[in-house]
Amino acid sequence: MTLAFCACGSSDKPSEEATDEAYAPYWTDEQKATLDSMKQVDDEGYLYEMDYSAEYNLDDIIAEGTKTSPEERAAFQKLYLSESEFDVPEKIYGSCTGFATKDADGHQIMGRNYDWDKDEQVGAVVHIAPKDGYKSVGMTDMGFIGVAKGFNTIEEKECALYAPLFTVDGMNETGLACTVLVLEEDGSKQETGKKTMISGMVVRMLLDRASTVQEAEELLRNYDIVSSMYASREDNELGGSDFHWLVTDKNGDSAIFEIVDNKLVVNKTPVVVEGDIEGFDSMPTADINKNVKIEYPKEDKGYLCVTNFYVSEGYKNTHGEGYWRYQTISKKLEENLNPTTEEAMEYLKDTKYGMNDVDCSVSMRSDGDDPEVESNWPWITVWSGVYNTDDLTLTLCLRENYDKAYTFEVK
């Protein structure tokens, strides 16, 4: 499988000769200050923190997919519109988990596991105070856009300046939190005559401009959303992956937004996944969906959870994943609807990628791989985060190490 995003510069780790003093001649003082603010958080260099003070012209990018400066345009095209491609392994096992509920103090929280390649991924906690938007804290997978540990080369720094546009989960100063999760279906492409927005921009746009779930819905209905994977294909063919979004706010409202039959569908009640998920480890992948039954009771249970299958009623999943993770997280919430931050992190630990993912084990066996061999597990839960919409804090555990937590806040 190939992804049509292109990594800027080399994907190799920076050499010892690389200098931290180098700047591109066209960078503004604000861009330089943004890069200078980058600091390493963990001991191994898998997590950084950045105070983003430069302009990223969200309206221009949404409207045109480009910026005005030739240099910036070239860099953006490398990220979204290049003909170049980089390969990822054909066999990828694992994905993400999210949930929203109230904590033990009655404050709305959002939990999220982000799973991806265990060797390449470098996370960044990005603090932003946009001129015409809400302050926020969010997570960007810098490794996905071609940044290695150290951020030493000009090419990597160029990519780092696009960190806001690749936010995968975050929370703003009003207490709105949101995250995006992948779906194993062809990318969607709405064509109703509205302004077009690449799906990768949704989290950033909502963090900047929405204070409630209702406002988030209104904003999304103003656009035709096109899958990032689809929009970046030179041949304009449908392909890649689709996405859905979990959004929650300080008032306790939550929704899962999906594009189904090119229409925005809003889901506010949890589905029920029935089936003996634990028994799937002896089944071929194609048989999993035959044994999963999804019920739609339309009952408000005070929580929502989401993994990697559609939750919209009437949509038949053909490549759904994450059923056992959904069952696990929903069961935890049924048993304890209002967890503390520590308990919420335990829920994420129970659904981490690790070497305990049932869906992945099934896929491996059907592909002829042995799930007992560690090298067959190229992914990891890169981070687990719990967002508190009341005190505006993010509690983060890194790379499946749940003995150490980092805390950040909306500045």
Side-chain angles (χ1 to χ4, degrees):
M1 181 178 73
T2 58
L3 298 180
F5 291 108
C6 175
C8 289
S10 170
S11 62
D12 296 332
K13 296 180 181 178
S15 66
E16 295 181 0
E17 290 78 18
T19 172
D20 288 323
E21 305 301 323
Y23 291 114
Y26 50 85
W27 286 344
T28 66
D29 290 341
E30 289 79 11
Q31 288 173 322
K32 294 176 183 178
T34 294
L35 293 170
D36 287 343
S37 76
M38 187 80 69
K39 62 182 180 181
Q40 183 175 319
V41 175
D42 68 317
D43 294 335
E44 296 182 324
Y46 285 108
L47 183 65
Y48 291 78
E49 188 174 13
M50 166 197 285
D51 290 328
Y52 199 99
S53 56
E55 291 290 332
Y56 49 91
N57 303 318
L58 184 61
D59 281 326
D60 290 344
I61 290 176
I62 289 175
E64 303 174 20
T66 181
K67 288 191 172 186
T68 55
S69 159
E71 295 85 0
E72 289 179 323
R73 184 180 302 117
F76 185 79
Q77 286 175 340
K78 283 182 181 179
L79 292 173
Y80 266 122
L81 306 176
S82 175
E83 295 180 15
S84 302
E85 297 179 341
F86 67 95
D87 291 330
V88 294
E90 286 244 354
K91 298 174 183 178
I92 296 181
Y93 308 109
S95 262
C96 307
T97 304
F99 67 90
T101 190
K102 289 189 183 298
D103 69 5
D105 296 317
H107 302 144
Q108 193 72 7
I109 60 173
M110 182 185 78
R112 193 273 212 276
N113 277 345
Y114 179 78
D115 298 357
W116 199 248
D117 188 288
K118 65 182 177 182
D119 295 323
E120 300 298 329
Q121 303 326 112
V122 178
V125 180
V126 183
H127 302 274
I128 304 179
K131 184 163 51 178
D132 299 316
Y134 297 118
K135 301 173 185 176
S136 66
V137 61
M139 294 298 300
T140 295
D141 180 351
M142 305 297 274
F144 189 63
I145 58 175
V147 180
K149 297 179 185 179
F151 296 81
N152 286 342
T153 69
I154 285 183
E155 290 83 0
E156 288 175 326
K157 291 179 179 180
E158 187 81 74
C159 290
L161 287 172
Y162 289 90
L165 307 180
F166 290 86
T167 306
V168 293
D169 53 77
M171 174 178 60
N172 68 23
E173 63 181 304
T174 74
L176 179 118
C178 57
T179 185
V180 60
L181 295 90
V182 71
L183 293 162
E184 297 299 320
E185 300 286 345
D186 284 346
S188 59
K189 184 181 181 183
Q190 291 183 289
E191 295 180 297
T192 67
K194 300 175 184 176
K195 295 178 181 178
T196 298
M197 178 168 58
I198 296 172
S199 63
M201 301 294 175
V202 167
V203 172
R204 179 77 269 142
M205 190 266 289
L206 295 183
L207 291 177
D208 283 8
R209 298 175 179 174
S211 62
T212 64
V213 171
Q214 180 61 39
E215 288 183 7
E217 179 181 347
E218 292 169 0
L219 282 167
L220 291 176
R221 291 196 184 282
N222 288 333
Y223 294 92
D224 281 339
I225 300 173
V226 179
S227 170
S228 303
M229 305 297 188
Y230 176 91
S232 62
R233 295 168 75 93
E234 183 67 21
D235 56 13
N236 206 34
E237 290 182 359
L238 194 63
S241 299
D242 216 353
F243 302 91
H244 55 181
W245 299 269
L246 170 64
V247 185
T248 191
D249 63 34
K250 189 174 183 177
N251 301 321
D253 194 8
S254 299
I256 298 169
F257 296 101
E258 297 180 341
I259 308 296
V260 178
D261 295 330
N262 287 327
K263 295 180 181 179
L264 181 69
V265 180
V266 183
N267 302 276
K268 290 200 168 187
T269 54
V271 302
V272 176
V273 175
E274 296 183 346
D276 182 12
I277 307 301
E278 293 300 325
F280 286 179
D281 57 359
S282 61
M283 295 181 186
T285 306
D287 289 342
I288 293 181
N289 291 307
K290 297 177 183 178
N291 291 275
V292 168
K293 185 177 182 181
I294 301 177
E295 299 287 347
Y296 305 88
K298 303 296 184 182
E299 178 183 354
D300 185 357
K301 294 189 175 183
Y303 71 84
L304 280 180
C305 45
V306 62
T307 55
N308 307 106
F309 61 89
Y310 286 88
V311 298
S312 297
E313 188 172 8
Y315 188 90
K316 182 180 180 181
N317 293 284
T318 57
H319 301 94
E321 290 186 354
Y323 298 113
W324 81 270
R325 284 180 279 118
Y326 188 98
Q327 274 194 338
T328 300
I329 209 83
S330 59
K331 182 180 180 181
K332 294 286 183 181
L333 289 164
E334 293 281 353
E335 294 172 349
N336 179 13
L337 180 60
N338 308 120
T340 63
T341 296
E342 292 76 15
E343 290 169 336
M345 191 64 76
E346 283 293 319
Y347 295 179
L348 295 174
K349 179 180 178 180
D350 290 339
T351 51
K352 70 181 177 67
Y353 175 71
M355 287 183 68
N356 64 347
D357 192 298
V358 177
D359 289 354
C360 298
S361 297
V362 174
S363 298
M364 286 185 192
R365 287 192 175 93
S366 65
D367 290 336
D369 295 330
D370 185 355
E372 301 300 321
V373 177
E374 186 173 358
S375 61
N376 286 333
W377 293 81
W379 279 24
I380 194 171
T381 296
V382 183
W383 65 76
S384 300
V386 177
Y387 291 87
N388 187 308
T389 65
D390 182 73
D391 62 18
L392 302 181
T393 57
L394 162 61
T395 302
L396 200 71
C397 289
L398 191 64
R399 296 176 65 80
E400 301 181 4
N401 178 6
Y402 295 93
D403 294 327
K404 185 172 185 178
Y406 304 90
T407 303
F408 308 91
E409 61 185 15
V410 177
K411 293 185 178 180

